[in-house]
Amino acid sequence: MIGRLMKSLVLGFTVASLVVAPVTTQAQEAQNQQGQNPPAAQTSGQQAAPSDYSSARNMTPTRGFDYSKGQPWFPEFWKPYTPVSMPEPLLTNAPSIDQLIHDGKLMLSLDDAISIALENNLDISLQRFTPFIAQTELLRADAGSVAHGLGSSQQVILGSSPQTSFDPLFIVNTSWSRSSFPVNNPLVSGVGVLPTVFNLIDYNAYANFTYQQGFHTGTAVSVAFDNTRSSTNSPDTIFNPAIQSTMIFSIQQPLLNGFGILPNTRYIIEAKNTLKVAASQFSQQVIATVSAVQTAYWELVFARENVKVEEAAVTVSQKLYEDNKKQLQIGTMAPLDVLTAESELATDTQNLIVAQTNKLQQETVLLNAITRNPLTPSLQNIEIIPTTPISAPNITENLPLMDAVQEAWQKRPELFQADLNLKNAEVEVKATRNSLLPTLNLVGQYSATSLAGNETVINATQTGFQADPNSPIVGANNLPFNVGNPGAPGIPAFVGIPVFNTTTTVQKSGLNSALDQMIHSNFPTYSAGLNLVLPIRNRSAQADSARAQIDKRQQELQYRQLQNTIFVGVRNAQIALQQDRAQVAAAEKARILAQQTLDAEQKKYQLGSSTSYQVVLRSRDLTSAQGNELRAKINLIEAAVNFDQAVGRTLDVNHIIVADAGRGKIYRQPNIPGAPDADGGVAGK
């Protein structure tokens, strides 16, 4: 019977909720349940980012342990009350870096540098925690807000704003008490008109159980099972001890403020979007780290090649100085020419020292980017040998600007994050709009109460009559009536009162009887009503709604600002590619001409038609031209790296799967020195 009553109540409240619900609210819920509303940036003519990247496989970090699920509660029911295990952070280098050490040198290709960095880079390691933190916030949102301080069901004030907990709550309250009261007024104390008890003692014990849960529709349900046992030394109680059991089913459904799925799941929707933002931020960190490692790698290549250029310059200057000294000794050259050659040698030596210092610095930068601990003994004083040759990047900088910008808008993680933030702002606008409404709650309650215990029963059996001396029988003359023979003194007659034989028995009943009465609903109570809370000025809700709209408008402007920033970045990257490619061609031509000029000047010097000073100048020109050519080539490669980052191609170009970076395990085989490569050659040579 109780089951049918509960089903009827739930069905009635559900139908009432659907009838009262505004049509527009239901449409908004269907559109916003997953937070997929198109951002205002799209409706205002802006090109928005898609809901996901074109290369979605590259943008999702590894899941591993999903902190948004929490600990399972079945069958190991104690698990939700124990903390999760978070492994200690790994602070040692991955073994793949040791495989690349050969004869005390770290033979490193660009691919290997990127792979090792994805395993070891601390910036990536730190960013791995961001999705985990977002998962915990989603877990918190899925749980809802928990009401504090609720005891038995009688403490729940139906009709007030519900504090919904999507996690069921099971509440147990038990108590035992003994109370002793002095008796002053027998009638009030309940010990009878002729009291025999002057010290009233009561014993009370109760065990109450309550189940509470909220739902995404705003519905709050509470089922309470209360049990009380009381006993007393008062004689004027029917049941002593007495057992009372009560089952109370309560339901509350908001009809205005708090009605619908969106207002009650807004934080879940926003937490899911924030989790996507966190995953995108991890991808953004991977892109930034890969670009930084590529730049550091090519800067090291430049530093090493620049050392070779300066060493060649020192060799030329040293030879010129030695030749001039010999000619000075045989008297065919002036001392000034020897001094000039020596000065040039000193300058080139100084430049070589600067180049060697820069090489050591670039090694340190790259080593720090690809290791967790650069102080590992195997890496102390190690020389990094880049094995990837310098080559012109295969990038067409003449790609139409709008095509490049559109590609960047599709692939850049920053725009994807801005799109999700804009969706969260839209959810806040709609949720705070609902909060402007008055609070109107439909409430209902059903309860079944029972009472049982030990009942004292007095049974009386009439055995006869006896005269009542206080009640004589009076005749018509108002004199006592006598019974006897005429003329003889009579015997007074009295009213007869029945005589009873009484026996006292105790009928015992307990919890079983109380539960039987409750289940069969012998003493039911039904109630239903509407509770209205109408804020007169409603200023707090107005402030929240206005703030949400302001935040949304701000997000829309930031979205356009980010689009413009990406456009500027793509345009600048294209310009840099065009300039650097032109500079490479010009630098190559300048280096060839400088070499030809130096060769001609040396021939003239050998024929005696030039001076050592002119040779020194031409040697300086060649060294400068070689350095400029090297710098231009490295600048072109780095411009290609920046272009890939600006357009969002970094992951695809380098064949990187973010899930591998999230796990810290890269399955691409390192370029181990001495091992045959795919072309049959030897790696590192």
Side-chain angles (χ1 to χ4, degrees):
M1 181 177 180
I2 267 188
R4 292 196 300 270
L5 288 172
M6 290 184 177
K7 290 180 180 178
S8 300
L9 281 172
V10 172
L11 180 60
F13 279 108
T14 304
V15 172
S17 303
L18 294 176
V19 170
V20 179
V23 177
T24 55
T25 304
Q26 294 182 359
Q28 292 171 3
E29 291 172 6
Q31 191 177 17
N32 290 281
Q33 184 172 0
Q34 299 301 325
Q36 297 298 327
N37 284 16
Q42 294 184 13
T43 60
S44 61
Q46 297 184 21
Q47 175 66 33
S51 59
D52 207 344
Y53 299 96
S54 58
S55 54
R57 66 180 181 86
N58 276 347
M59 308 311 289
T60 303
T62 179
R63 287 295 177 188
F65 185 86
D66 191 349
Y67 294 93
S68 66
K69 301 302 181 183
Q71 295 275 44
W73 66 275
F74 184 83
E76 300 173 317
F77 63 89
W78 64 88
K79 276 294 187 69
Y81 311 104
T82 59
V84 298
S85 177
M86 171 61 70
E88 294 290 333
L90 188 61
L91 301 178
T92 57
N93 298 325
S96 56
I97 192 171
D98 293 329
Q99 299 174 7
L100 301 175
I101 298 177
H102 184 68
D103 295 334
K105 296 180 180 181
L106 180 58
M107 311 298 292
L108 194 64
S109 68
L110 179 60
D111 288 343
D112 291 337
I114 294 174
S115 298
I116 295 173
L118 293 177
E119 292 179 335
N120 295 294
N121 185 267
L122 291 180
D123 290 332
I124 294 179
S125 299
L126 287 172
Q127 199 64 38
R128 286 192 186 106
F129 290 97
T130 302
F132 297 152
I133 295 173
Q135 288 175 355
T136 62
E137 294 303 319
L138 176 56
L139 179 63
R140 184 192 304 276
D142 283 334
S145 57
V146 182
H148 298 280
L150 292 181
S152 63
S153 61
Q154 289 89 342
Q155 293 177 280
V156 180
I157 304 176
L158 291 176
S160 62
S161 297
Q163 291 179 299
T164 304
S165 172
F166 300 142
D167 282 354
L169 293 178
F170 183 67
I171 304 170
V172 179
N173 287 324
T174 61
S175 178
W176 178 89
S177 66
R178 178 186 184 277
S179 304
S180 178
F181 305 97
V183 176
N184 184 34
N185 188 326
L187 295 177
V188 176
S189 300
V191 296
V193 179
L194 298 175
T196 59
V197 176
F198 297 94
N199 183 20
L200 183 63
I201 299 177
D202 293 336
Y203 293 90
N204 292 281
Y206 66 84
N208 299 335
F209 307 91
T210 305
Y211 178 90
Q212 296 176 343
Q213 186 174 5
F215 299 92
H216 290 180
T217 57
T219 308
V221 174
S222 173
V223 179
F225 178 43
D226 295 349
N227 300 276
T228 303
R229 184 186 187 278
S230 62
S231 62
T232 180
N233 62 346
S234 173
D236 289 350
T237 55
I238 298 177
F239 295 99
N240 191 18
I243 296 177
Q244 182 175 1
S245 295
T246 305
M247 175 69 74
I248 303 174
F249 174 78
S250 305
I251 187 170
Q252 176 175 282
Q253 174 62 53
L255 303 180
L256 293 177
N257 190 336
F259 175 82
I261 294 178
L262 178 62
N264 295 284
T265 61
R266 58 193 281 196
Y267 298 119
I268 296 178
I269 296 173
E270 293 172 6
K272 289 180 178 179
N273 288 335
T274 302
L275 179 57
K276 295 178 182 178
V277 169
S280 177
Q281 289 174 341
F282 178 79
S283 302
Q284 183 179 349
Q285 181 61 59
V286 172
I287 293 172
T289 299
V290 170
S291 299
V293 168
Q294 288 178 295
T295 300
Y297 185 90
W298 291 116
E299 285 297 319
L300 177 59
V301 171
F302 167 77
R304 290 180 58 84
E305 294 300 321
N306 192 45
V307 167
K308 295 178 182 179
V309 171
E310 298 298 338
E311 286 176 344
V314 169
T315 300
V316 172
S317 299
Q318 182 70 36
K319 184 177 184 305
L320 179 62
Y321 173 65
E322 296 295 338
D323 292 344
N324 287 357
K325 283 201 304 181
K326 292 178 181 179
Q327 293 185 30
L328 176 63
Q329 292 174 357
I330 62 177
T332 60
M333 180 170 288
L336 180 59
D337 292 333
V338 176
L339 184 61
T340 301
E342 186 177 9
S343 175
E344 176 63 14
L345 176 61
T347 301
D348 290 341
T349 302
Q350 183 180 6
N351 292 336
L352 175 60
I353 294 173
V354 173
Q356 291 172 337
T357 302
N358 184 55
K359 167 182 165 295
L360 295 175
Q361 291 174 339
Q362 294 303 324
E363 284 182 346
T364 304
V365 171
L366 181 59
L367 193 64
N368 183 64
I370 64 175
T371 61
R372 295 190 185 98
N373 182 13
L375 299 178
T376 300
S378 61
L379 299 178
Q380 292 299 305
N381 300 320
I382 197 168
E383 182 181 4
I384 301 177
I385 308 297
T387 60
T388 300
I390 299 175
S391 61
N394 187 21
I395 290 183
T396 303
E397 58 269 17
N398 294 325
L399 178 70
L401 177 61
M402 282 310 302
D403 291 347
V405 171
Q406 290 287 345
E407 183 179 355
W409 283 351
Q410 292 289 326
K411 294 182 177 180
R412 288 285 290 270
E414 301 94 320
L415 203 61
F416 181 65
Q417 297 163 25
D419 181 56
L420 291 171
N421 291 332
L422 192 54
K423 289 179 180 178
N424 280 349
E426 179 66 21
V427 171
E428 282 296 304
V429 168
K430 295 184 177 180
T432 53
R433 183 185 303 161
N434 175 268
S435 300
L436 286 169
L437 300 175
T439 300
L440 178 63
N441 293 334
L442 178 63
V443 295
Q445 189 177 76
Y446 161 80
S447 65
T449 306
S450 62
L451 181 62
N454 293 347
E455 180 181 6
T456 301
V457 180
I458 300 176
N459 299 314
T461 304
Q462 185 175 351
T463 59
F465 293 90
Q466 68 179 13
D468 183 2
N470 296 321
S471 302
I473 299 176
V474 180
N477 56 0
N478 294 327
L479 294 176
F481 182 78
N482 294 329
V483 178
N485 295 326
I491 299 174
F494 299 95
V495 175
I497 59 176
V499 177
F500 294 93
N501 182 19
T502 60
T503 59
T504 302
T505 61
V506 178
Q507 294 183 356
K508 295 184 178 180
S509 62
L511 182 61
N512 291 338
S513 298
L515 292 178
D516 182 74
Q517 295 177 20
M518 184 189 70
I519 292 174
H520 289 86
S521 191
N522 291 354
F523 306 98
T525 300
Y526 306 90
S527 66
L530 291 172
N531 294 332
L532 175 65
V533 178
L534 185 64
I536 300 301
R537 301 184 66 179
N538 209 23
R539 291 185 291 183
S540 178
Q542 291 181 36
D544 292 340
S545 178
R547 175 60 185 270
Q549 295 185 60
I550 293 171
D551 288 342
K552 179 187 174 184
R553 296 293 181 252
Q554 189 178 39
Q555 290 287 346
E556 290 172 351
L557 290 176
Q558 290 177 349
Y559 190 92
R560 171 52 65 88
Q561 185 182 43
L562 182 57
Q563 284 184 318
N564 294 344
T565 301
I566 291 175
F567 157 72
V568 173
V570 171
R571 181 57 178 156
N572 288 338
Q574 273 191 326
I575 294 173
L577 271 175
Q578 294 171 354
Q579 290 180 341
D580 291 340
R581 198 176 295 275
Q583 286 180 356
V584 168
E588 288 179 349
K589 183 65 174 178
R591 188 259 307 164
I592 294 174
L593 294 176
Q595 183 67 57
Q596 293 174 352
T597 302
L598 176 60
D599 293 342
E601 196 66 38
Q602 287 177 337
K603 291 179 181 179
K604 290 172 61 178
Y605 177 74
Q606 292 172 359
L607 296 173
S609 60
S610 181
T611 63
S612 62
Y613 178 72
Q614 294 297 324
V615 174
V616 167
L617 291 179
R618 300 298 175 259
S619 177
R620 287 181 180 178
D621 292 342
L622 177 59
T623 302
S624 177
Q626 291 173 333
N628 291 338
E629 181 186 14
L630 177 61
R631 182 72 264 178
K633 290 181 178 180
I634 297 300
N635 286 345
L636 179 59
I637 295 175
E638 292 179 358
V641 171
N642 294 334
F643 182 80
D644 288 338
Q645 185 177 10
V647 179
R649 298 177 178 175
T650 301
L651 299 179
D652 293 332
V653 168
N654 294 281
H655 309 290
I656 296 173
I657 299 177
V658 176
D660 292 344
R663 285 187 294 264
K665 299 292 184 182
I666 307 302
Y667 297 102
R668 181 168 53 192
Q669 293 296 327
N671 186 17
I672 303 175
D677 56 23
D679 298 328
V682 177
K685 293 187 179 180

